[in-house]
Amino acid sequence: MQSDLYKYDTIYVNGAWVQPRSTEKIPVRSPATEEIVGYVPSCSPGDIDLAVQSARVAFDNSGWPDLSIGERAKYLRSAARILKRRQEDSSLIAADESGLPIGFRYGDGSTFTDQAIKLLNYYADLGEKYQVEEQRTGADGGKIIVRKEPVGVVGVITPWNAPLVIAHFSIPPALLAGCTVVLKPAPESPLHANLIAQVFQEAGLPPGVFNVVPAEREASEALVRHPGVDKIVFTGSTATGRRIGALCGESIKRFGLELGGKSAAVILDDADLDQVMPFVTFTGLMNNGEACVGQTRILAPRSRYSEVVERLAAIAGEYRTGDPRDIATQNGPLITEKQRAKGESYIHSGLEEGAKLVLGGKRPEHLGRGWYLEPTIFSDVSMGMRIAKEEIFCPVLCVIPYADDADAISIANDSPYGLSGTVWTSDEARGMKIARKIRTGNYGINYFNLDINAPFGGFKESGIGRQLGPEGLEGFFELNAIHFPPQS
């Protein structure tokens, strides 16, 4: 399997696997074994230019934007069926290139690949009934036709955590809208992008409509700057998002950013801890702690603080850390040695600043290889500490005490981020009052989910724009108004 899926000498451009101009390779290293398991070409700016030109020609001349939105939906439906057939390949690639446990399940029991398939079918369903043209009556009595037209060539830049799912936040709606796409995966996890290319190639997508350019970060700027790209969609760190936003601003290029988070799970004093603490633990540690929506700040009432800390540590202490190919694994390796070192530096910082290490904080003794870090919990944390303010992107949770509901709201909002959050309570109405006051784009009351029917995105430094839901499709349109004179 690995010889077919993990080792590539060609890139997918203009509907075919072609030799790149660059001779450089990006090695793909398993986070679990630290060994190189595959490679892909490292695209040069010239390769990126070729991909953009192919997408540009496909948009301008191939007739792809002229198809009805329902006709384009059929390609998504076909891709969903093919990806379903490739589900085992997809799960193993995620484990081997990103360290994502194959046993990971969302709250509804679905896998990462299940979610990607759902997104393809969701947008196909939406396309079968979606209207891109509307007639209005102008203030002067004349007829107005308001049209939604595809924005053009879209550069999609994805991260290394849950890369298959995150790619499908953007690719299906972009294609449905009539755009053409150039996908640039993170260099740590490029293999899933080639799987996506294989799926769309088999689905019969016309040449140039979808292209893949694996590249190091330095070459990636060529995609953002390219005058043939009409919109950039980026998921990743806030620091990189700032750079991309600035570059797009120079040419008034459209862009969407889904960035970092430091979300708070607010546990109210009336919460049934037996019921809620397993979910709270999951929302903080899911995806090996490498999740922008992770609820990594646990806000506990002073009256029940010790109880919350004890329950959290007991549940997290039972998490099984190990091989991501093992169905029983709950906590896999971090993506790189550098990422683990980052987590360890935050653990050291927390101890220096006076937080109490309740659980973890070290590398698992039973695992001699791999970039593993135990689930880690700090208590006695204040908002002045780095571990409470900064996104760590590792399985590190802080438990922060609060006095009353108003104090909890203040602490939850005391962050430059605003991506996600939850409140846990026996009183839904009380939870709703808190939900209305938290400045964040996605919130749950006794629940955590990213539902494909709802818009997803962030306030403040967590990003610009929305993905998922009908709103995720709207971002790939430009509005065009055509005016007619009033009838005499």
Side-chain angles (χ1 to χ4, degrees):
M1 172 185 167
Q2 290 190 6
S3 62
D4 296 329
L5 289 178
Y6 290 10
K7 297 178 181 179
Y8 292 88
D9 295 309
T10 55
I11 58 175
Y12 187 71
V13 172
N14 202 31
W17 295 91
V18 301
Q19 288 292 330
R21 298 176 183 179
S22 169
T23 59
E24 298 295 318
K25 301 285 187 184
I26 297 175
V28 180
R29 197 176 291 274
S30 164
T33 67
E34 305 180 28
E35 296 176 355
I36 294 175
V37 294
Y39 54 78
V40 297
S42 181
C43 289
S44 67
D47 295 313
I48 291 171
D49 179 62
L50 178 63
V52 173
Q53 287 185 37
S54 299
R56 185 81 260 165
V57 169
F59 183 79
D60 293 338
N61 301 325
S62 75
W64 175 254
D66 300 323
L67 295 177
S68 72
I69 194 168
E71 288 173 316
R72 292 192 293 267
K74 293 177 183 178
Y75 287 94
L76 301 186
R77 191 86 66 196
S78 178
R81 290 192 295 268
I82 297 164
L83 184 57
K84 179 72 174 176
R85 196 175 70 240
R86 301 289 301 273
Q87 188 152 15
E88 182 179 357
D89 291 343
S90 173
S91 296
L92 291 175
I93 288 172
D96 290 341
E97 73 173 352
S98 295
L100 300 177
I102 61 171
F104 176 87
R105 297 294 185 271
Y106 287 91
D108 62 0
S110 62
T111 66
F112 292 112
T113 311
D114 290 334
Q115 288 293 312
I117 293 166
K118 285 182 179 181
L119 284 161
L120 286 162
N121 283 322
Y122 171 79
Y123 282 107
D125 289 343
L126 188 62
E128 290 173 354
K129 56 180 181 285
Y130 195 84
Q131 298 298 314
V132 295
E133 191 170 296
E134 173 192 347
Q135 182 173 321
R136 303 179 188 175
T137 301
D140 60 0
K143 182 173 69 174
I144 302 172
I145 302 295
V146 178
R147 289 181 46 77
K148 295 177 180 178
E149 299 184 357
V151 69
V153 176
V154 178
V156 177
I157 304 175
T158 53
W160 42 258
N161 65 316
L164 180 77
V165 178
I166 293 173
H168 281 79
F169 280 15
S170 298
I171 295 169
L175 295 177
L176 183 67
C179 300
T180 57
V181 173
V182 178
L183 172 62
K184 208 297 293 182
E188 294 86 354
S189 59
L191 299 175
H192 75 283
N194 283 344
L195 176 64
I196 296 171
Q198 292 167 4
V199 167
F200 280 126
Q201 185 179 37
E202 187 176 342
L205 209 63
V209 172
F210 180 75
N211 310 269
V212 176
V213 285
E216 297 288 356
R217 284 171 175 78
E218 294 76 12
S220 302
E221 195 164 297
L223 180 62
V224 178
R225 289 185 176 275
H226 201 293
V229 175
D230 299 293
K231 180 170 183 172
I232 292 290
V233 180
F234 170 76
T235 302
S237 72
T238 296
T240 303
R242 284 194 185 96
R243 174 64 177 165
I244 288 173
L247 291 174
C248 290
E250 291 177 3
S251 58
I252 321 298
K253 191 190 303 284
R254 277 69 176 140
F255 64 92
L257 306 173
E258 196 277 281
L259 308 176
K262 189 72 175 178
S263 301
V266 180
I267 301 173
L268 298 187
D269 54 14
D270 63 356
D272 181 343
L273 297 186
D274 289 336
Q275 185 177 27
V276 308
M277 288 311 296
F279 293 103
V280 171
T281 308
F282 171 78
T283 64
L285 297 177
M286 62 180 174
N287 217 48
N288 308 339
E290 297 168 320
C292 55
V293 293
Q295 316 289 292
T296 55
R297 290 186 294 155
I298 314 299
L299 276 53
R302 293 189 185 279
S303 61
R304 304 189 71 182
Y305 185 78
S306 297
E307 192 179 358
V308 168
V309 171
E310 290 170 6
R311 299 286 185 95
L312 186 67
I315 296 167
E318 294 297 319
Y319 267 49
R320 180 167 175 172
T321 298
D323 184 356
R325 280 187 170 227
D326 185 341
I327 193 71
T329 293
Q330 296 163 283
N331 182 56
L334 297 171
I335 187 69
T336 60
E337 185 175 15
K338 179 181 178 181
Q339 188 67 18
R340 180 173 64 180
K342 175 185 174 184
E344 290 173 330
S345 72
Y346 273 104
I347 291 168
H348 181 70
S349 169
L351 292 171
E352 279 196 331
E353 292 182 333
K356 178 182 177 182
L357 183 63
V358 178
L359 180 76
K362 62 184 186 301
R363 304 174 185 184
E365 294 178 358
H366 69 287
L367 295 168
R369 293 188 305 170
W371 298 306
Y372 292 95
L373 187 63
E374 292 178 341
T376 298
I377 295 171
F378 279 102
S379 67
D380 299 342
V381 178
S382 67
M383 280 304 297
M385 298 179 182
R386 287 182 62 213
I387 57 172
K389 294 187 297 184
E390 300 176 15
E391 185 178 44
I392 302 175
F393 230 62
C394 293
V396 179
L397 309 182
C398 336
V399 190
I400 303 170
Y402 68 86
D404 53 25
D405 289 7
D407 190 33
I409 292 166
S410 176
I411 294 171
N413 284 330
D414 184 13
S415 173
Y417 299 110
L419 188 58
S420 184
T422 52
V423 60
W424 304 86
T425 175
S426 296
D427 184 345
E428 188 174 293
R430 184 181 174 195
M432 189 63 189
K433 288 180 181 178
I434 289 177
R436 292 185 187 278
K437 293 181 180 296
I438 305 297
R439 298 283 295 168
T440 188
N442 192 71
Y443 207 75
I445 300 175
N446 297 324
Y447 190 58
F448 173 84
N449 194 25
L450 298 183
D451 196 294
I452 59 177
N453 288 291
F456 169 66
F459 288 20
K460 299 184 279 187
E461 292 185 15
S462 286
I464 294 173
R466 292 296 181 267
Q467 299 173 313
L468 306 182
E471 294 82 1
L473 175 60
E474 298 290 337
F476 294 103
F477 287 121
E478 294 277 21
L479 291 175
N480 167 243
I482 302 172
H483 299 260
F484 296 81
Q487 297 296 315
S488 57

